[in-house]
Amino acid sequence: MASSSKSGNGSLREYVSKEDEPDGKYRVVKRIKTPVQRIAVVETEKGETLIYGDGYVMFGTTKDDELWAESLVHIPMAAAANRGSVLLIGGGGGILAREALRYPDVKRITAVDADRIMMNLGKSLKSLVKFNQGALNNPKVTTIVKDGRAMVEGSRQKWDVIVVDVPEPSEDVPQLRRLFSVNFYRLLKERLQPGGAIAVACTCLNAEMPEFSGSIIKTIKAAGLYVLPYHMDVRKSYGQDWAYCLASNRPLSSSGVKLRIKPRYLTESKLKGMFVIPNRYRKKWKKGKIQTDRNHVLRDIHEEH
């Protein structure tokens, strides 16, 4: 059941889809139509805040957001030779920046998001700022409102750690393929410091769509990077198995990935299991294809399933 405080145009379902509606009662605090997407700010009866983009949850102030951020940030931070500079593509919520700031050797973080409103929420929405501990307002953090691909293309900077956390290409936003293409990963390789590490969010592992992750793995390898896939199995709590890729310009081994700080949820024992991928997924990864700037490999897989 929902109540709504409307700000923006369009029906409620354009902002909060039926498929991704919160359990229990909730209130839509804001509806904002931006040049990039339709954003909804939702408060649940549990006291959590959820940020929706085009009807689906992007991030929020929940435990699973913390698990997601820890999985996406601390693995490349553990694998990288240095952590002085960090690039976060899709960092408007500030949660990734919060985790990166936990490392004392981090000197500068660049957080990029294509939507100014999303970035502003991460900087000023009270519940979100409390959750991300004011990360986007930290003097070590530079925020840039720009498409992640365009930002990297226009920069000559290099980073020790790069994190890519953007939605998968779909029928509604096929242009997101440019943030998953071999062309883009080649750019990231050029912008990566020697011994640096990249983490890419690859949506969920599941029996119906394993070739999605397989295609991302093949595409990163085709860009000339070493790849080590990993996952966070949260099926007991959320019915999902999150997939990620760790990449580098040097060979990777799970034995060489050692946590350098103590995250809230991620432990050394859990870390070992994250690099053990069930064979039922690995076998089907062979069906994956390389995503380019021009084809629609990932979009087609997404739409088919």
Side-chain angles (χ1 to χ4, degrees):
M1 182 183 297
S3 63
S4 176
S5 174
K6 184 174 178 181
S7 175
N9 301 314
S11 69
L12 174 64
R13 288 301 169 221
E14 291 178 307
Y15 290 85
V16 179
S17 68
K18 187 69 176 176
E19 304 96 301
D20 218 13
E21 198 173 33
D23 294 330
K25 294 181 180 179
Y26 65 93
R27 188 167 77 95
V28 181
V29 180
K30 288 183 180 180
R31 283 191 254 170
I32 312 163
K33 187 176 181 180
T34 80
V36 178
Q37 61 196 325
R38 290 179 173 88
I39 295 175
V41 179
V42 172
E43 292 180 353
T44 72
E45 63 182 354
K46 298 178 183 178
E48 298 169 338
T49 298
L50 303 175
I51 308 299
Y52 282 73
D54 288 333
Y56 295 90
V57 177
M58 302 294 286
F59 53 85
T61 61
T62 69
K63 179 184 175 181
D64 57 320
D65 286 287
E66 297 197 285
L67 284 169
W68 178 268
E70 288 194 0
S71 302
L72 197 48
V73 173
H74 297 304
I75 304 302
M77 295 295 263
N82 298 291
R83 284 150 296 282
S85 56
V86 180
L87 172 62
L88 307 173
I89 297 176
I95 305 165
L96 301 179
R98 181 195 75 181
E99 291 304 305
L101 283 167
R102 297 185 62 183
Y103 294 80
D105 47 345
V106 167
K107 294 180 175 62
R108 60 183 176 92
I109 298 172
T110 305
V112 184
D113 200 288
D115 197 321
R116 184 177 301 278
I117 299 299
M118 196 70 83
M119 188 74 82
N120 287 342
L121 288 173
K123 288 182 174 183
S124 60
L125 184 65
K126 185 179 291 186
S127 57
L128 194 52
V129 172
K130 181 180 179 181
F131 189 73
N132 69 33
Q133 298 175 3
L136 296 181
N137 300 310
N138 189 290
K140 288 185 177 181
V141 179
T142 298
T143 58
I144 298 175
V145 177
K146 199 170 187 177
D147 170 76
R149 172 70 174 266
M151 183 271 168
V152 173
E153 287 177 335
S155 174
R156 288 296 176 264
Q157 293 185 53
K158 290 196 174 187
W159 290 273
D160 295 302
V161 174
I162 299 174
V163 175
V164 182
D165 185 19
V166 295
E168 61 268 19
S170 66
E171 196 68 43
D172 294 331
V173 281
Q175 66 272 21
L176 282 170
R177 69 185 182 277
R178 286 172 49 81
L179 289 166
F180 287 89
S181 72
V182 65
N183 315 70
F184 181 56
Y185 295 138
R186 285 173 184 151
L187 277 171
L188 294 188
K189 183 184 177 185
E190 292 175 6
R191 302 294 184 268
L192 192 64
Q193 292 281 13
I198 301 169
V200 177
C202 305
T203 194
C204 295
L205 280 177
N206 58 60
E208 293 78 28
M209 204 169 69
E211 62 267 42
F212 193 96
S213 298
S215 294
I216 294 176
I217 293 167
K218 281 192 175 181
T219 303
I220 295 174
K221 286 182 177 179
L225 289 158
Y226 295 93
V227 187
L228 190 62
Y230 66 100
H231 68 128
M232 169 64 82
D233 188 345
V234 289
R235 286 175 295 177
K236 288 184 179 179
S237 300
Y238 307 108
Q240 296 178 331
D241 195 345
W242 300 329
Y244 310 89
C245 277
L246 176 65
S248 181
N249 43 28
R250 63 177 181 172
L252 290 164
S253 169
S254 60
S255 62
V257 181
K258 304 290 185 183
L259 293 174
R260 297 174 185 273
I261 65 169
K262 288 186 177 181
R264 185 174 179 183
Y265 298 105
L266 206 55
T267 63
E268 285 290 352
S269 59
K270 187 180 289 291
L271 182 65
K272 291 179 182 178
M274 292 174 74
F275 291 101
V276 178
I277 308 293
N279 283 332
R280 64 182 181 276
Y281 299 133
R282 286 189 177 274
K283 288 179 181 177
K284 294 185 178 181
W285 281 350
K286 296 176 182 179
K287 297 181 180 179
K289 299 177 181 179
I290 295 173
Q291 173 72 57
T292 71
D293 278 350
R294 295 191 175 187
N295 67 26
H296 294 284
V297 167
L298 296 179
R299 181 205 67 181
D300 292 347
I301 295 171
H302 182 274
E303 292 307 310
E304 181 183 350
H305 298 288

